[in-house]
């Protein structure tokens, strides 16, 4: 005989689940213990959202879903923010939610809530197994649907009565482990049309998206770029599929590249807000797009594509390169397109270089990130969130390897950073023990999940957390101005909405665990703190870097967010 707790735990193990992240409590206390007994590793978090962020990031890094375990009612409600993030980001994750005992439903049971119905808008699959004997069937289906096609979230509802139900062994449903998702190959005719369009282009541009990183398509995409000399632009989490340091990367000429390109090849990138919907004024009105995406429903979204290819990025890039080689297609180095890109890139790099060389106190973002980049190992996994912290950081903290940048991504979610960093540290521990994880946070973003520092400490994860502290959201106030404003009247009426408490010493949080934090105001402070933190291998480090409350990014030709025309 086995009960629902044991059946669930063993089903997860049989499906290859490595990690469960969550917060245990009624009715999943015994389930958490059963998971450990079954050989699944369990990490307890301080907030369910952070647990869900960690689980989905681990799924992104490994292409295998991790699990979130939460209690009923408000526990699941907290997780739903993470589920929505996974669904919009297209990352695999499975949520197991304990729920009210079935015989208490409808009469005011403890934490009673319609959990399957509430979860359904935020996931690919939401169900309650009707019997403990059928739990393995639903676990396999959750794994399959979270990973097949466009990845996303799956939810299984586990009432207290189901978890306590005992079933004879021979009546438990037996199911084979879910095989890896099959590869989807492109239609050769579509590749021929795409190659013909590129051959007629005067200013071709390749955009490499997060989908290419998730697809493990780096070899094929790198071969395509290097064999054709096509300029490429990575999206924030497409960075590293082709190295940022590759001479064909035109990130420093992003606006020019988008505005001037006449043919755009999208590999695993969506024409959403991050790419200004593919519309003017950021793109030419007559630009032609070649869209490669695994999800058929994404094709022709926002603007109709000249060529739409439903395929895995790896097989499409491989097939397209073969066709282009047959045609002898190559983007000439001495053409006007490359000359314009390089001139614009050089000008923008010079501007950023000048800003990063200004090391006067209080520091600006560019000086901070340059010193961080110069001090940390080049192969670090960088997790980042915040407004300017994230956006400026991605231009300076370069990635030469895929899946080495995790940030707020498509949903623009704040609070993801520390959960992502925990997932990245576990990934490094299992698959790349020499790598380090650097978590770069704005001070506002850090506040969403700062207590996960305790989680990192409990599980001995050597993550380096850097708080870039400008005393606010977007901008803050210096200490004296903050004091004067607060003294001038009721704080809720006079304190600017963007302001946080000035000069907060976040690094002192490490003292709670008998560890030392680092407070930095100069670039020399930053270098010393990072070098010391890199020597710590059994716990997190926290570096609090004070910058000018008015520090900002370099002047932009266009707002980062495309404005509505309504």
């Amino acid at each position: 005989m086995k009960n629902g707790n044991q059946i669930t735990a063993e089903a997860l193990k049989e499906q290859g689940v490595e990690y469960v992240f969550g917060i245990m409590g009624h009715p999943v206390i015994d389930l958490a213990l059963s998971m450990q007994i079954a050989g699944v590793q369990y990490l307890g978090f301080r907030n369910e959202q952070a647990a869900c962020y960690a689980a989905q990031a681990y799924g992104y890094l490994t292409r295998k879903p991790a699990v979130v375990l939460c209690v009923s009612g408000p526990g699941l409600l907290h997780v739903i923010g993470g589920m929505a993030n996974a669904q919009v980001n297209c990352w695999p994750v499975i949520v197991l939610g304990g729920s009210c005992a079935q015989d208490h439903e409808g009469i005011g049971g403890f934490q009673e809530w319609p959990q399957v119905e509430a979860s359904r808008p935020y996931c690919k699959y939401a169900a309650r197994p009707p019997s403990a004997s059928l739990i393995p069937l639903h676990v396999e289906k959750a794994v399959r649907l979270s990973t097949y096609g466009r990845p996303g979230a799956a939810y299984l509802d586990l009432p207290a009565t189901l978890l306590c139900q005992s079933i004879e062994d021979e009546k438990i449903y037996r199911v084979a482990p879910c095989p890896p998702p099959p590869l989807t190959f492109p239609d050769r005719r579509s590749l021929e049309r795409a190659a013909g369009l590129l051959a007629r282009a005067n200013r071709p541009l390749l955009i490499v998206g997060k989908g290419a990183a998730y697809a493990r398509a780096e070899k094929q995409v790198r071969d395509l770029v290097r064999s054709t000399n096509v300029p490429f632009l990575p999206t924030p989490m497409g960075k590293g599929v082709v190295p940022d340091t590759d001479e064909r990367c035109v990130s420093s000429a992003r606006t020019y590249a988008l505005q001037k390109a006449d043919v755009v090849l999208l590999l695993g990138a969506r024409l959403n807000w991050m790419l200004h919907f593919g519309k003017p004024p950021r793109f030419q009105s007559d630009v032609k797009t070649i869209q490669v995406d695994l999800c058929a429903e994404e094709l022709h979204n926002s603007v109709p594509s000249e060529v739409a290819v439903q395929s895995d990025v790896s097989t499409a890039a491989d097939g397209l390169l073969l066709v282009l080689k047959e045609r002898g297609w190559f983007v000439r180095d001495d053409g006007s397109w490359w000359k314009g890109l390089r001139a614009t890139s050089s000008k923008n790099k010079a501007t950023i270089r000048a800003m990063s060389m200004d090391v006067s106190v209080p520091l600006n973002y560019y000086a901070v990130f340059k010193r961080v980049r110069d001090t940390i190992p080049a192969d670090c996994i960088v997790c980042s969130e915040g407004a300017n912290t994230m956006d400026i950081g991605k231009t300076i903290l370069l990635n030469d390897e895929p899946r080495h940048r995790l940030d707020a991504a498509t949903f623009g979610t704040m609070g993801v950073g520390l959960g992502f960093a925990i997932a990245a540290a576990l990934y490094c521990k299992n698959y790349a023990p020499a790598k380090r994880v650097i978590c770069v946070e704005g001070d506002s973003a850090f506040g969403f999940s700062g207590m996960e520092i305790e989680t990192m400490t409990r599980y001995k994860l050597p993550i380096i957390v850097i708080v870039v502290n400008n005393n606010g959201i977007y901008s803050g106030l210096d200490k004296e101005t903050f004091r004067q404003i607060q003294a001038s009247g009721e704080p809720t009426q006079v304190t600017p909405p963007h302001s946080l408490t000035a000069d907060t010493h976040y690094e002192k949080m490490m003292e709670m665990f008998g560890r030392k934090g680092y407070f930095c105001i100069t670039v020399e402070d930053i270098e010393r703190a990072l070098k010391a933190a890199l020597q710590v291998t059994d716990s997190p480090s926290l570096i609090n870097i004070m910058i000018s409350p008015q520090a900002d990014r370099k002047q932009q030709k266009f707002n980062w967010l495309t404005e509505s025309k309504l």
Side-chain angles (χ1 to χ4, degrees):
M1 297 284 286
K2 292 180 180 175
N3 63 29
N5 292 305
Q6 295 167 304
I7 294 170
T8 304
E10 291 173 8
L12 293 172
K13 182 66 175 177
E14 288 167 6
Q15 292 300 326
V17 170
E18 296 178 281
Y19 285 100
V20 175
F21 307 91
I23 296 180
M24 55 93 78
H26 180 79
V28 294
I29 297 170
D30 288 343
L31 179 54
L33 296 171
S34 296
M35 289 170 172
Q36 289 183 314
I37 292 169
V40 179
Q41 300 187 64
Y42 177 87
L43 282 83
F45 276 65
R46 305 305 300 267
N47 179 278
E48 291 93 348
Q49 276 192 22
C52 195
Y53 297 143
Q56 64 196 254
Y58 197 79
Y60 169 72
L61 292 168
T62 63
R63 286 177 60 105
K64 297 185 295 184
V67 167
V68 185
L69 180 67
C70 64
V71 302
S72 48
L76 176 63
L77 186 58
H78 291 167
V79 168
I80 279 180
M83 290 173 66
N85 191 69
Q87 190 72 355
V88 174
N89 264 356
C90 312
W91 289 0
V93 70
I94 297 172
V95 177
L96 302 182
S99 61
C100 171
Q102 289 161 294
D103 56 331
H104 291 174
E105 290 179 340
I107 56 173
F110 176 67
Q111 295 184 333
E112 180 185 354
W113 194 42
Q115 298 185 184
V116 176
E117 294 87 345
S119 300
R120 190 163 282 128
Y122 310 103
C123 58
K124 294 176 67 178
Y125 177 63
R128 171 189 286 182
S131 164
S133 64
L134 293 174
I135 287 173
L137 180 150
H138 288 273
V139 168
E140 188 277 339
K141 191 170 183 179
V143 171
R144 181 158 36 92
L145 293 185
S146 70
T147 54
Y148 278 37
R150 173 182 279 182
Y155 173 70
L156 294 181
D157 196 57
L158 302 174
T161 39
L162 187 75
L163 293 173
C164 294
Q165 183 182 9
S166 293
I167 302 290
E168 294 175 7
D169 286 12
E170 61 271 17
K171 293 183 179 179
I172 299 171
Y173 190 92
R174 302 298 173 187
V175 60
C178 178
L183 275 177
T184 303
F185 286 79
D187 181 354
R188 169 80 184 198
R189 292 168 298 179
S190 296
L191 297 182
E192 293 281 2
R193 289 171 53 216
L197 190 58
L198 287 168
R200 297 190 296 273
N202 294 312
R203 297 177 301 280
L205 177 67
L206 167 61
I207 298 179
V208 183
K210 179 174 75 245
Y214 181 81
R216 303 295 194 275
E218 51 267 22
K219 180 185 183 303
Q220 293 84 356
V221 179
R222 290 178 183 189
D223 288 347
L224 176 63
V225 169
R226 291 164 182 169
S227 297
T228 63
N229 200 42
V230 64
F232 75 92
L233 182 68
T235 64
M237 283 205 291
K239 285 161 58 68
V241 172
V242 186
D244 284 343
T245 52
D246 189 289
E247 62 184 359
R248 301 165 194 87
C249 180
V250 294
S251 291
S252 296
R254 184 179 190 272
T255 296
Y256 180 88
L258 294 179
Q259 275 196 302
K260 300 297 183 182
D262 60 356
V263 174
V264 174
L265 170 59
L266 297 161
L267 292 181
R270 292 176 277 181
L271 288 176
N272 55 20
W273 67 272
M274 297 182 79
L275 287 173
H276 316 283
F277 312 106
K279 296 180 179 181
R282 296 304 291 266
F283 289 80
Q284 292 190 27
S285 59
D286 59 351
V287 67
K288 294 178 173 58
T289 60
I290 303 164
Q291 188 179 13
V292 177
D293 202 287
L294 185 64
C295 179
E297 291 79 5
E298 186 62 37
L299 301 176
H300 305 295
N301 195 17
S302 183
V303 295
S305 292
E306 192 77 9
V307 182
V309 184
Q310 183 190 5
S311 173
D312 274 272
V313 173
S314 59
T315 55
D318 210 18
L320 182 59
L321 178 56
L322 289 175
V323 177
L324 290 170
K325 280 183 174 180
E326 291 171 3
R327 293 171 175 258
W329 186 70
F330 187 83
V331 183
R332 289 176 49 194
D333 249 354
D334 59 352
S336 60
W337 181 220
W338 263 120
K339 287 181 179 177
L341 288 167
R342 289 197 175 107
T344 305
S345 181
S346 295
K347 180 181 177 181
N348 289 337
K349 284 180 177 178
T351 300
I352 289 175
R353 190 179 303 114
M355 296 176 76
S356 65
M357 296 303 291
D358 177 7
V359 295
S360 58
V361 176
L363 295 168
N364 67 64
Y365 286 102
Y366 296 88
V368 168
F369 289 131
K370 181 181 185 302
R371 189 54 61 104
V372 171
R373 184 190 68 192
D374 291 346
T375 307
I376 63 175
D379 64 347
C380 286
I381 295 181
V382 177
C383 305
S384 184
E385 62 174 329
N388 290 339
T389 296
M390 181 177 68
D391 292 340
I392 298 171
K394 73 179 179 231
T395 67
I396 300 178
L397 300 176
L398 305 181
N399 301 104
D400 282 351
E401 297 182 51
R403 299 169 297 281
H404 278 53
R405 177 181 169 84
L406 303 172
D407 68 20
T410 312
F411 210 27
T413 307
M414 292 295 104
V416 297
L418 275 69
F420 282 4
I422 290 170
L426 293 173
Y427 174 81
C428 291
K429 179 180 177 181
N430 293 327
Y431 300 102
K435 289 187 187 293
R436 296 301 298 266
V437 176
I438 311 294
C439 183
V440 185
E441 301 276 300
D443 51 328
S444 172
F446 177 72
F448 281 80
S449 56
M451 274 309 298
E452 300 304 336
I453 286 284
E454 188 274 329
T455 307
M456 297 176 182
T457 302
R458 191 173 358 122
Y459 294 110
K460 300 182 178 181
L461 300 175
I463 299 161
I464 299 175
V465 179
I466 299 173
V467 179
V468 182
N469 190 349
N470 70 345
N471 300 338
I473 304 170
Y474 300 112
S475 64
L477 301 172
D478 64 82
K479 191 173 183 178
E480 180 57 27
T481 304
F482 180 79
R483 186 193 65 78
Q484 291 178 3
I485 285 179
Q486 288 228 311
S488 67
E490 170 57 43
T492 57
Q493 291 183 302
V494 299
T495 305
H498 59 78
S499 180
L500 299 174
T501 303
D503 290 7
T504 301
H505 281 263
Y506 296 105
E507 79 284 352
K508 290 186 178 291
M509 290 178 67
M510 295 309 300
E511 296 177 11
M512 296 189 293
F513 314 110
R515 301 284 180 167
K516 181 181 184 298
Y518 305 91
F519 181 72
C520 304
I521 59 173
T522 68
V523 293
E524 291 79 14
D525 292 341
I526 296 170
E527 184 175 349
R528 281 192 294 269
L530 279 169
K531 287 181 176 179
L534 287 166
Q535 300 303 310
V536 179
T537 59
D538 63 347
S539 71
S541 301
L542 202 162
I543 301 172
N544 182 22
I545 303 174
M546 297 304 306
I547 66 169
S548 168
Q550 303 307 314
D552 204 351
R553 68 185 77 188
K554 77 177 185 69
Q555 189 173 359
Q556 306 290 303
K557 183 175 182 180
F558 290 98
N559 193 305
W560 65 271
L561 181 63
T562 301
E563 298 298 331
S564 172
K565 301 299 188 295
L566 297 179

